[in-house]
Structures are given as C-alpha cells and as structure tokens.
C-alpha cells in the first residue's frame, strides 16, 4: 500500500474574507480521502498568528497554540514536513502572492497559481489592464487611489468595490450621486485603491479552468442570484443563489466563454486551476 500524501491546509488569514476561508477549508478537508491523504490544518488568525490544530481531519474549533511565523515555530516546521500545501486563503495576505512567496522561499510545493499570477489576479485594476492589452473584453471602470475624488462618467447604477478583495466584501451597488461617497468610503475600509465600475447587463456565468501548459475549460455554469445582485448574502447564505449547469446560453456564447476563460488563464500566467466569471450580454 502506498504511503499517504502529507497535505497541509492553510486557512483563515488576516483579510476581511477570513470566515469565508475557514468555510472553504472545511469543505476541502472534508473532501480529502483519509485513506489517501494525511491532513494537518494550519489556521492563520486575524492578527496573522499561525495556529496548529490538534486534529488532522478537521479545522480546529478553538486555538490549541498560537505561534508567530518564525523558522522555529511549529506551523513553519509542519509546512517543511509535508508533501504539498493547499493555501485555502481568500483575499490579501494569502490569495495575493504573499503566502505563495513564503512557500517558494521555503521550497515547499503548493497548489494553485504562483506569486506573480496570484498578485495580479487579486488586483482588479492591474488584472483588467493585462486583459485589455490582450484584447480580452472587461467592464469599464475608474480607479480611485488614496485622496482621489469619487468621480466617474458612467450611467447609474454603478458598482463600487475594493480593488484587492473578493467575496463581494465592501462592494456597493450605487444608484445615484448621493450614494457614491458613502460607497467609496466603505470600499476604502478594505483597500486604499477602489474601483467604480460600470454595470454590465447580462447573464452572469462562471467557468472553471484546469491545467498548466495546456489548460482546459469546464462546462459553463449560470449564476442565478436571489437578490438584486450577486452580493455576499447571495453567495454564502443558504438558498441565496442557484447554479444552473449547463448555463442557459447559446452554443456560440458557451464556446466564447470557455475560449475567453482559457485566454484569461494564460494571459495572467495562472497554473493549476482558476474560476473565471463573465457576463454574457
């Protein structure tokens, strides 16, 4: 019988998406076959401290031991003793290339995109610039940096969002000038770079991409939010949305989504796997 693969699951993190990371990690750990994988969970708390769970099969409900990230710490030693790391982290300080860089320095194999691709795809402003350069269509936006006045030339409604965050955290649908300043202030609580983005009227779909040098796209799924838009509650509350597979779009649109998903994956130098979201107009 082959020895089990030793897997470390990184969860939590310092970002505003901490709780979503924990939920994602629980799903991943539950799906790992204990006969094939020996799993240890390393939870990063909101202050950036790394905690090693007492069990190997599920996320710790309470911290067993809190340790700083130094070479002599138990979590760091644990990462050096595993075959592969699954960084199930969302947002800054985990999904943005920072943890990937740490693992690269330590020479520890990990799943997913590398440092450059992770940093690029986390930053919606830079990500869109790369896709525009490759001729891949993206929604128009205005980027606000610290001190910029909240201005734009789009028709209402618009969406205001932190540039480097996900899970719809800090995003607002803005319907008039009176709502704009408050929406920008909310987004700036999470990031000092903010996007004001035009509303795209279309069917929201998502597509998985898997591979490295020759990636392939999955069947396209259609997102049906049971809300005014696909906000945090629609994404994560029970019954907040339906995912219709395959998406109810034309064969030509389906092919185009899958084509653009792979093109985006390659343009941003992703590896392993990604999810690409699109609007079919």
């Amino acid at each position: 019988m082959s020895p089990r693969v030793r897997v470390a699951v990184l969860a939590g993190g310092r970002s505003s998406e901490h709780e979503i990371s924990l939920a994602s990690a629980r799903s991943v750990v539950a799906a790992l076959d204990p006969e094939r994988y020996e799993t240890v969970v390393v939870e990063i708390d909101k202050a950036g401290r790394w905690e090693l769970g007492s069990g190997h099969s599920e996320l710790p409900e309470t911290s067993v031991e809190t340790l700083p990230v130094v070479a002599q710490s138990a979590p760091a030693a644990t990462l050096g003793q595993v075959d592969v790391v699954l960084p199930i982290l969302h947002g800054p300080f985990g999904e943005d290339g920072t943890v990937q860089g740490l693992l690269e320095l330590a020479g520890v194999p990990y799943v997913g995109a590398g440092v450059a691709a992770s940093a690029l795809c986390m930053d919606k402003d830079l990500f869109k610039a790369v896709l525009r350069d490759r001729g891949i269509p993206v929604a128009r936006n205005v980027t606000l940096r610290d001190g910029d006045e909240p201005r734009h030339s789009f028709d209402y409604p618009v969406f205001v969002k932190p540039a480097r965050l996900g899970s719809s955290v800090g995003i607002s649908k803005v319907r008039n000038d009176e709502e704009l300043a408050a929406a920008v202030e909310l987004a700036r609580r999470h990031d000092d770079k903010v996007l004001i983005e035009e509303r795209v009227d279309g069917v929201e779909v998502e597509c998985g991409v898997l591979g490295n040098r020759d990636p392939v796209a999955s069947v396209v799924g259609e997102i049906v939010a049971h809300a005014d838009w696909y906000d945090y509650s629609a994404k994560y509350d029970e019954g907040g949305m339906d995912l219709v597979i395959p998406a109810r779009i034309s064969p030509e649109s389906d092919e185009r989504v899958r084509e653009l998903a792979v093109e985006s994956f390659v343009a941003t130098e992703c590896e392993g796997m990604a999810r690409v979201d699109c609007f079919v107009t």
Side-chain angles (χ1 to χ4, degrees):
M1 182 176 179
S2 301
R4 293 187 298 171
V5 176
R6 294 169 296 174
V7 178
V9 176
L10 296 186
R14 292 169 54 191
S15 85
S16 302
E17 298 178 76
H18 178 94
E19 299 302 330
I20 301 304
S21 170
L22 295 181
S24 297
R26 289 189 188 100
S27 297
V28 169
V29 171
L32 289 171
D33 183 351
E35 294 188 3
R36 297 178 60 193
Y37 303 102
E38 178 185 349
T39 306
V40 62
V41 175
V42 179
E43 183 178 348
I44 306 172
D45 73 11
K46 293 181 180 180
R49 295 170 299 188
W50 293 42
E51 303 166 353
L52 186 61
S54 58
H56 292 254
S57 60
E58 60 185 37
L59 284 164
E61 294 298 328
T62 59
S63 170
V64 176
E65 185 176 7
T66 299
L67 300 152
V69 184
V70 295
Q72 292 78 21
S73 71
T78 297
L79 295 184
Q81 296 167 0
V82 299
D83 296 310
V84 65
V85 172
L86 298 180
I88 313 300
L89 300 165
H90 290 251
F93 312 110
E95 194 181 356
D96 59 353
T98 49
V99 165
Q100 289 76 10
L102 172 65
L103 296 172
E104 293 274 3
L105 286 171
V108 179
Y110 60 93
V111 171
V115 176
S118 297
L120 175 64
C121 293
M122 190 78 255
D123 190 319
K124 299 176 182 67
D125 178 45
L126 299 180
F127 173 79
K128 286 187 175 190
V130 169
L131 294 195
R132 287 191 196 99
D133 185 66
R134 299 298 181 93
I136 298 172
V138 294
R140 295 176 301 165
N141 72 276
V142 172
T143 300
L144 304 178
R145 290 169 176 82
D146 194 23
D148 290 345
E149 291 294 323
R151 296 174 181 167
H152 67 90
S153 59
F154 307 125
D155 293 334
Y156 284 105
V158 296
F159 287 90
V160 175
K161 57 184 69 175
R164 294 163 289 205
L165 204 62
S167 299
S168 295
V169 174
I171 297 182
S172 303
K173 182 177 181 179
V174 177
R175 295 165 177 81
N176 52 58
D177 285 333
E178 289 70 29
E179 297 177 357
L180 184 61
V184 171
E185 176 60 30
L186 172 62
R188 280 179 170 156
R189 295 178 194 171
H190 302 278
D191 195 344
D192 59 9
K193 184 159 70 166
V194 172
L195 270 61
I196 302 176
E197 190 174 78
E198 68 172 341
R199 175 180 178 270
V200 177
D201 187 15
V203 178
E204 190 164 358
V205 299
E206 61 183 22
C207 182
V209 180
L210 190 68
N212 292 311
R213 299 303 175 209
D214 190 21
V216 295
S218 74
V219 173
V220 180
E222 177 184 346
I223 296 167
V224 181
H226 300 164
D228 185 37
W229 58 282
Y230 196 34
D231 61 7
Y232 185 94
S233 295
K235 287 182 176 180
Y236 299 114
D237 288 351
E238 187 71 28
M241 59 83 72
D242 292 320
L243 183 60
V244 180
I245 303 174
R248 297 168 294 186
I249 56 178
S250 69
E252 294 78 16
S253 294
D254 181 272
E255 182 179 358
R256 180 63 171 153
V257 168
R258 297 173 77 246
E259 176 185 88
L260 288 174
V262 171
E263 287 183 12
S264 302
F265 187 90
V266 173
T268 54
E269 299 192 347
C270 284
E271 296 172 284
M273 70 238 174
R275 190 195 74 245
V276 181
D277 302 332
C278 300
F279 283 103
V280 178
T281 59

